Amino acid sequence: MPITQKAIRLAWQFASEHKHPQKVEQIYINTLAVLVVCDYLKLLDIETDLSQCDSWNPVIRLFENVADLYIKGLGKIECIPIRRVHQNTQNGNAVSAANLPETCPIHTEARDERIGYIAVEIDEEEKQARLLGFSPTAATGELVLSDLYSLDDFLIHLEKIHESKVDLRQWLENKFTANWLSVESIFDPQPETEPTEIENPIKSNLGNWLQNVAEAGWQKFEQGKQNLEDLIFPEDNPSFVFRGGGNSTTESGARISSNINRFPEADVTRAKLIDLGMRLGSTTVALLVAIAQEDDRTFRVHVQLHPAIGDRYLPRHLKLSLISDAGEILQELESTVQHQCISLEFYVEPGECFGIRLAIDDLSITENFMV
């Protein structure tokens, strides 16, 4: 990839804002790496937005070593610059040294909120750059250049991130990606067409029942006090209301009934069971998302988190967060003692992306959406 004169001028413009020689070099080479990758993605018709980059923020550039590039709708990649060294021979001719370092360190500020890392070799004398490869993570704090993936793998990686985002506009067309189910199918499950047959080895003695003696598992019903529905759906199960005006709430509600319209103002409502894993004894929670399209084409989104049937309350210290496309936390709630529901409500514009994150202890699960 050629390094354009425009890129060189802009890199010197950013670098000249500082007096310390090491900082000047750092900003100059970082800016060149970002612009080279930006030009590469532009050739592939992949949109970027430099205004959303920390590397384009003069204040952040002053205090941090960043070379991030924001890809619209996907997230940030870090462009790791590696200088190509030229050495003078005895006759005065410059020779380019082809030896590259085995590893390249990743600075602390660039280890979070990145969807990938691209190593960029910068040849300032020849005004050329070479994209050496890609890594989806930098968990060890460095890139091993021999382990980098190809640029084709990088494009596949971007495609997978794009496919993982949920397009809310398709919900209005009754098109849903896997695992997003109707609310009724989760909270009012119907019997399976072919139920699993389990035979109890202990036979029930009906004669003993007449004497008020029954085997374990058989519960007595008293007329007028209790029925089967009360046993399956206790009184303190949550109800669901799509209210206007609020941004984030926690609530407890009345019992579920299959004929309740839980989000009366929503155009579409879907739900998903989220397994929080073995940390909580395989606790499962239900994530509900309801959307309503406004007159100005914006979307009102209401998100609720409930315990699944069988649990009375949400796990304590479970966080529900609204995450921007750049990875920033916009809203966040945390469940406390005896919370049956926590919820977020917000508006999104057409073309915007966001994420809903569930987090507890060291476990984090994020569902990504797009409009």
Side-chain angles (χ1 to χ4, degrees):
M1 292 287 297
I3 302 176
T4 65
Q5 287 296 326
K6 180 179 179 181
I8 293 173
R9 286 194 300 270
L10 186 57
W12 277 123
Q13 177 185 330
F14 286 176
S16 63
E17 297 170 354
H18 306 277
K19 297 182 179 180
H20 194 285
Q22 185 177 357
K23 195 66 180 178
V24 169
E25 271 312 294
Q26 179 192 99
I27 293 177
Y28 176 74
I29 199 72
N30 283 350
T31 305
L32 286 182
V34 171
L35 290 173
V36 165
V37 177
C38 184
D39 288 343
Y40 168 73
L41 294 177
K42 190 179 297 183
L43 291 175
L44 300 175
D45 292 326
I46 298 175
E47 290 187 275
T48 59
D49 187 351
L50 291 170
S51 67
Q52 297 295 316
C53 302
D54 291 341
S55 56
W56 247 242
N57 186 313
V59 177
I60 297 178
R61 282 199 305 264
L62 174 62
F63 295 102
E64 297 184 0
N65 184 0
V66 288
D68 60 321
L69 176 62
Y70 176 71
I71 301 177
K72 285 187 177 181
L74 299 179
K76 292 180 178 180
I77 59 172
E78 190 73 12
C79 309
I80 311 299
I82 302 173
R83 264 198 173 93
R84 188 175 184 87
V85 180
H86 289 261
Q87 297 175 341
N88 291 325
T89 62
Q90 291 182 349
N91 59 12
N93 295 326
V95 177
S96 176
N99 292 334
L100 293 172
E102 293 183 359
T103 63
C104 186
I106 304 298
H107 298 280
T108 304
E109 51 265 37
R111 296 178 191 176
D112 296 323
E113 300 177 359
R114 299 293 189 268
I115 61 172
Y117 301 81
I118 291 184
V120 185
E121 183 186 37
I122 303 291
D123 188 335
E124 296 176 73
E125 291 193 16
E126 298 295 331
K127 296 182 176 57
Q128 290 288 324
R130 184 163 63 102
L131 276 58
L132 300 176
F134 148 78
S135 175
T137 62
T140 61
E142 63 180 12
L143 295 185
V144 179
L145 298 190
S146 61
D147 293 340
L148 293 178
Y149 294 93
S150 70
L151 295 179
D152 288 338
D153 292 326
F154 170 63
L155 299 179
I156 293 172
H157 178 67
L158 295 184
E159 183 65 24
K160 288 181 179 179
I161 294 176
H162 174 75
E163 291 175 353
S164 70
K165 294 180 180 291
V166 179
D167 188 348
L168 294 181
R169 191 169 293 278
Q170 290 189 347
W171 285 19
L172 298 176
E173 301 173 3
N174 204 32
K175 298 176 181 178
F176 306 98
T177 52
N179 297 326
W180 284 101
L181 311 174
S182 67
V183 176
E184 289 74 18
S185 66
I186 290 181
F187 287 95
D188 297 310
Q190 299 299 316
E192 298 179 3
T193 54
E194 296 182 3
T196 303
E197 295 183 5
I198 301 176
E199 183 178 351
N200 189 343
I202 301 176
K203 295 183 179 180
S204 298
N205 188 332
L206 298 183
N208 289 340
W209 287 20
L210 299 176
Q211 302 175 30
N212 203 27
V213 177
E215 293 75 18
W218 290 100
Q219 183 170 348
K220 182 180 178 182
F221 286 82
E222 295 182 10
Q223 184 68 28
K225 288 187 64 177
Q226 195 174 43
N227 57 44
L228 184 60
E229 188 176 13
D230 292 327
L231 290 174
I232 298 176
F233 302 112
E235 288 290 336
D236 48 9
N237 269 340
S239 64
F240 316 97
V241 182
F242 194 5
R243 300 185 308 274
N247 289 326
S248 53
T249 62
T250 59
E251 58 185 324
S252 296
R255 63 189 297 277
I256 293 177
S257 176
S258 59
N259 59 2
I260 292 177
N261 186 358
R262 298 173 181 85
F263 297 100
E265 299 178 23
D267 295 320
V268 180
T269 303
R270 304 298 284 182
K272 189 174 187 179
L273 290 175
I274 305 292
D275 186 359
L276 298 179
M278 295 305 294
R279 294 169 180 81
L280 299 173
S282 297
T283 297
T284 301
V285 295
L287 179 65
L288 279 66
V289 177
I291 61 173
Q293 190 168 26
E294 305 293 305
D295 294 337
D296 59 358
R297 298 182 66 243
T298 61
F299 276 60
R300 182 155 63 103
V301 183
H302 193 94
V303 179
Q304 290 187 356
L305 192 60
H306 295 269
I309 291 295
D311 291 321
R312 178 174 297 183
Y313 303 116
L314 289 170
R316 194 175 179 183
H317 302 309
L318 176 60
K319 292 181 180 180
L320 176 66
S321 307
L322 169 64
I323 309 296
S324 74
D325 197 25
E328 300 175 6
I329 298 177
L330 303 179
Q331 293 184 35
E332 186 172 78
L333 284 172
E334 181 175 340
S335 63
T336 57
V337 179
Q338 296 186 347
H339 266 157
Q340 293 182 325
C341 170
I342 54 178
S343 62
L344 303 171
E345 187 172 333
F346 50 92
Y347 292 83
V348 290
E349 302 284 344
E352 285 188 339
C353 301
F354 65 92
I356 298 297
R357 177 187 295 165
L358 281 64
I360 187 166
D361 298 330
D362 59 346
L363 173 67
S364 175
I365 300 171
T366 303
E367 293 289 337
N368 294 306
F369 300 85
M370 59 184 287
V371 177

